Amino acid sequence: PHAGPVESKNEAAMSELVPEPRQKPVVPMKPMGINTSLLGYIGIDTIIEQMRKKTMKTGFDFNIMVVGQSGLGKSTLVNTLFKSQVSRKSSGWNREEKIPKTVEIKAIGHVIEEGGVKMKLTVIDTPGFGDQINNENCWEPIEKYINEQYEKFLKEEVNIARKKRIPDTRVHCCLYFISPTGHSLRPLDLEFMKHLSKVVNIIPVIAKADTMTLEEKTEFKQRVRKELEVNGIEFYPQKEFDEDLEDKTENDKIRQESMPFAVVGSDKEYQVNGKRVLGRKTPWGIIEVENLNHCEFALLRDFVIRTHLQDLKEVTHNIHYETYRAKRLNGNGGLPPMTVKTEENHESNL
């Protein structure tokens, strides 16, 4: 007769241990039928201008990570993306550079200015990824680096005397370079994206797309999309974070048509019909990087910089960082994380 209450107690204890699935932030409904006509000018329309001035003063942070095997043109593409020499390779190639034994992580910071807008851009390169004979668990140093940046931010956030503006080193976007084989994705690609799509915004790109014919490119893109779907890999923009119908329609188009972007990068200029264009010279003509008939680089740049840069930052802060923070604080009994001296020393060495 006493079995019932005991079971229910155990169930209650279990439910306390199992964290509830995180609810998607509720988007407040638009108020219906409230249309107050103003009797005179108040100046509400200047709010946007006030916000613009404030953000212009502080500037922007954007941290982009590039992952993929050597020789896929990661550095070149990042340089092309920002029309500036911003990658590790731009400082000049060293002939004695050997393939790193493990994945090294190098972060290079720059300040880019355009039209009075300053952006502190950090490019995080991952030389050595996928270059070994045995690439087992080679994503671990990358996952560790991403989590270390969340930890750094969390430590600053829980300080009693907090900085007015916490330096943001969190990875906002990870460009994952897929080799243009025309076949299926490698197990390494799937394993990497499976592990890291939970902690960072992954944007898959097919590198050196000029090595494939148009038919091969279309077929390969469809195959990659199918394989990601079958393996349950969510790349950015993730379906569950679309906030409204407009976002959903726009992002569905990107997910179903553009992704993964088949791109070609180049930092060399050529003269085509009296115009200077970025391109790659081949025996049969010039592949224009920014020409949509030649490659999808312009689509990728517009997506990352012109339409979704702010959203990439928000998803990183509100979803990936929040998930890490909740896990850390839960594991610590809701207390701020303890400062460990060795960790700090390790971080300063990065």
Side-chain angles (χ1 to χ4, degrees):
H2 299 290
V6 172
E7 276 175 14
S8 62
K9 272 184 189 173
N10 289 344
E11 279 169 17
M14 282 297 286
S15 65
E16 278 175 32
L17 290 173
V18 178
E20 287 181 19
R22 289 186 71 250
Q23 293 293 313
K24 183 174 177 265
V26 181
V27 181
M29 281 181 67
K30 292 186 173 76
M32 302 294 285
I34 300 171
N35 185 16
T36 315
S37 50
L38 303 174
L39 301 172
Y41 179 69
I42 300 175
I44 303 168
D45 58 355
T46 63
I47 293 172
I48 301 292
E49 185 55 27
Q50 291 170 44
M51 287 162 77
R52 195 186 72 84
K53 276 185 181 168
K54 249 187 157 39
T55 13
M56 289 278 278
K57 274 179 194 167
T58 50
F60 299 87
D61 288 311
F62 188 60
N63 308 319
I64 186 168
M65 178 182 256
V66 286
V67 182
Q69 278 180 298
S70 297
L72 288 179
K74 299 189 296 294
S75 304
T76 309
L77 189 88
V78 173
N79 288 343
T80 321
L81 209 53
F82 296 97
K83 291 197 174 182
S84 181
Q85 297 291 306
V86 292
S87 75
R88 170 179 64 98
K89 284 276 159 65
S90 57
S91 54
W93 182 62
N94 180 4
R95 280 185 176 279
E96 288 157 27
E97 247 186 50
K98 294 182 182 75
I99 293 175
K101 291 266 188 305
T102 56
V103 180
E104 292 176 15
I105 291 169
K106 298 181 178 180
I108 300 127
H110 309 265
V111 175
I112 292 181
E113 192 170 342
E114 184 182 50
V117 180
K118 273 188 185 170
M119 181 165 79
K120 186 175 181 293
L121 172 72
T122 305
V123 177
I124 302 126
D125 202 350
T126 54
F129 177 83
D131 291 346
Q132 304 306 312
I133 293 165
N134 178 10
N135 289 305
E136 202 179 350
N137 298 350
C138 66
W139 62 83
E140 279 178 357
I142 297 170
E143 190 173 18
K144 186 169 177 274
Y145 177 86
I146 291 166
N147 284 330
E148 273 170 0
Q149 307 320 306
Y150 291 147
E151 182 68 22
K152 211 181 274 187
F153 197 88
L154 179 58
K155 278 182 184 164
E156 287 289 353
E157 209 177 44
V158 296
N159 273 346
I160 294 168
R162 289 199 292 190
K163 290 177 184 167
K164 193 178 173 188
R165 192 162 177 265
I166 299 171
D168 192 359
T169 58
R170 298 170 298 181
V171 181
H172 300 126
C173 168
C174 170
L175 290 181
Y176 187 78
F177 284 68
I178 296 164
S179 189
T181 58
H183 302 295
S184 11
L185 288 171
R186 295 169 308 157
L188 173 64
D189 301 329
L190 293 169
E191 282 296 312
F192 177 89
M193 288 191 261
K194 211 175 276 184
H195 278 84
L196 272 88
S197 59
K198 304 277 185 291
V199 295
V200 72
N201 295 318
I202 289 181
I203 297 175
V205 294
I206 296 166
K208 300 204 165 179
D210 51 335
T211 59
M212 295 189 284
T213 66
L214 291 174
E215 291 80 11
E216 284 170 347
K217 187 175 80 175
T218 309
E219 207 175 295
F220 189 42
K221 280 179 70 151
Q222 285 170 351
R223 193 172 296 170
V224 169
R225 278 200 294 271
K226 188 82 190 137
E227 284 192 25
L228 293 174
E229 194 184 317
V230 167
N231 287 278
I233 294 164
E234 282 259 320
F235 50 83
Y236 179 85
Q238 300 91 332
K239 281 178 195 162
E240 69 258 42
F241 308 144
D242 292 341
E243 292 204 343
D244 53 37
L245 195 61
E246 192 188 339
D247 278 4
K248 189 184 181 313
T249 313
E250 189 187 330
N251 289 342
D252 272 346
K253 196 166 183 278
I254 292 162
R255 284 186 286 258
Q256 289 157 19
E257 293 172 23
S258 308
M259 291 277 191
F261 296 97
V263 294
V264 178
S266 169
D267 34 23
K268 289 193 173 67
E269 280 193 343
Y270 294 97
Q271 197 89 17
V272 176
N273 301 331
K275 271 187 189 167
R276 304 283 296 164
V277 297
L278 283 170
R280 282 168 63 81
K281 197 170 188 179
T282 68
W284 46 86
I286 288 167
I287 295 154
E288 295 169 44
V289 166
E290 293 173 279
N291 183 338
L292 277 175
N293 296 323
H294 294 200
C295 95
E296 293 167 0
F297 169 78
L299 288 177
L300 172 69
R301 189 189 52 211
D302 286 359
F303 175 64
V304 173
I305 300 167
R306 293 185 184 169
T307 60
H308 283 69
L309 188 141
Q310 190 55 34
D311 189 60
L312 279 161
K313 291 180 67 170
E314 282 172 20
V315 171
T316 301
H317 182 73
N318 299 334
I319 309 293
H320 298 306
Y321 170 66
E322 276 300 311
T323 308
Y324 178 84
R325 184 177 171 277
K327 209 186 290 176
R328 268 303 261 123
L329 294 181
N330 275 337
N332 218 15
L335 296 166
M338 300 293 287
T339 308
V340 184
K341 282 281 179 279
T342 53
E343 261 185 46
E344 282 188 348
N345 294 341
H346 174 64
E347 280 170 12
S348 61
N349 292 337
L350 280 177

